[in-house]
Structures are given as structure tokens and as C-alpha cells.
Amino acid sequence: MDILLSLASHPWLTVLAVVVLLALVLYERTLRLFGFVIVPDDSIGTLTKGFVLFGRHRELPPGRIVALYGEAGLQADTLAPGLHLGLWPWQYQVELVKFTVIPDDAIGVVEACDGLPLPDGRVLAHHVDCDNFQDARAFLAAGERGLQMTVVPPGAWRINTSAARWPATASRMPAPSWPAVASAARR
């Protein structure tokens, strides 16, 4: 009761108590206002940079969708789980995306949204060492747009969904069918 009386007699203390209470309740938004981002353990953060004031790389090169050198737009680099600093809300939009999960009985077919154009006559893009599309920067340096020859095996993957997408849900692996194999061998 004495606490309530002291709060009533000191209005500035009441205001301070309300501000502290709101900061505790809305801690994520409060931290975000000061440039902090908390990414949960089962997610990655995809970044969209709103603007660049100065520097050599202010705009994306023609034909590109994802930024490699800090240009304004979708960023190739993602935020790993944990606490990240310096991502001011007026400059960066952070979207939390769950890990891409491929079930045990499936494979992931990937379609790259950015990269070099496919050469004429090619339907599938060539293989690029990019840690199963988790390293978007490595992929965008040498990879090609479109459906990829490389598939993603079962598991949970930190794939930047701004650079790659899944044209359909993960393709199911066919169950072994011995009569079909035997009939194909007879032909």
C-alpha cells in the first residue's frame, strides 16, 4: 500500500514505472527500435535494405534481384539464430523465416530466383558448391537462374528464401517397385 501512495505522490515515478513495464512487455519491439534483432533457434532472418546513402554500390546491377555488396534491396546474407546489432528499423526490414525442412522420404527441388542466365538449350542449371544452397553469396557468384540440377537432401536447412524457392513441396522419392523394374528389364 505504501508503494501505491508513493507512486500517487510522485507522478514522474508513476510514468517511469509504466514505461519500464511497457518496455518489459514489448521487449522485442523495444530492442528492435534500438537496432537489435533476436532470431529464434529454428529460424533465419532474411534482410531487405531500404536505402544506401553513400558508397560505390548504391543500386542493384541490371538484371539482379538479390544484393551481394550491400546495395538496397533483398540481401544475400541471412541472420543466423541469436542476437544481432546495428540493424536499424528505418534502414532494414527483417523477416523471420523457419528453416526449410525436407522430410526423410523426400528430396528438395530448388528454383533459383537470381544468378547468371541459363545458356540457350539448357533446362537445368549446373552444380555450384554452395553448401546445399545455404550460402547464397557463393551460389549467386557462379550459379544460374531456374531449376537446379542439384537437389537438397532430407534435413533442416538455412536457405535464404529470397534467393531460392521451392516450385512445389519437396518431391517424394518413389518406393521401390520390383515388378516395374522386372517388366522394364524384359523389354
Side-chain angles (χ1 to χ4, degrees):
M1 191 70 171
D2 290 333
I3 294 173
L4 293 177
L5 288 175
S6 67
L7 286 177
S9 63
H10 300 293
W12 60 270
L13 197 55
T14 306
V15 170
L16 182 65
V18 168
V19 168
V20 167
L21 184 64
L22 280 174
L24 288 174
V25 170
L26 302 171
Y27 78 95
E28 283 186 6
R29 290 181 189 232
T30 305
L31 287 174
R32 181 73 185 111
L33 183 63
F34 292 104
F36 293 85
V37 175
I38 300 172
V39 180
D41 288 340
D42 63 344
S43 303
I44 60 170
T46 59
L47 296 171
T48 304
K49 193 172 189 177
F51 60 90
V52 177
L53 292 178
F54 53 86
R56 224 170 46 139
H57 302 287
R58 295 175 109 184
E59 295 180 2
L60 285 171
R64 285 292 189 169
I65 298 171
V66 180
L68 286 174
Y69 304 109
E71 304 96 342
L74 301 169
Q75 300 296 303
D77 298 324
T78 59
L79 302 176
L83 178 67
H84 302 273
L85 313 171
L87 298 167
W88 306 107
W90 53 84
Q91 187 175 21
Y92 290 98
Q93 178 184 356
V94 179
E95 181 184 355
L96 298 178
V97 179
K98 298 282 187 193
F99 290 164
T100 302
V101 177
I102 309 294
D104 287 338
D105 62 343
I107 55 173
V109 178
V110 178
E111 181 177 359
C113 301
D114 200 355
L116 303 171
L118 272 174
D120 290 340
R122 297 271 314 264
V123 178
L124 296 175
H126 70 276
H127 171 76
V128 175
D129 288 326
C130 57
D131 193 19
N132 289 317
F133 302 97
Q134 294 182 104
D135 186 357
R137 183 172 295 280
F139 175 79
L140 292 172
E144 298 168 339
R145 283 186 201 124
L147 286 175
Q148 301 297 307
M149 182 181 302
T150 308
V151 295
V152 179
W157 304 97
R158 297 178 183 179
I159 296 175
N160 186 345
T161 55
S162 301
R165 67 183 187 95
W166 311 98
T169 56
S171 303
R172 298 282 173 192
M173 287 189 238
S177 169
W178 297 113
V181 171
S183 64
R186 280 187 238 144
R187 290 184 188 172

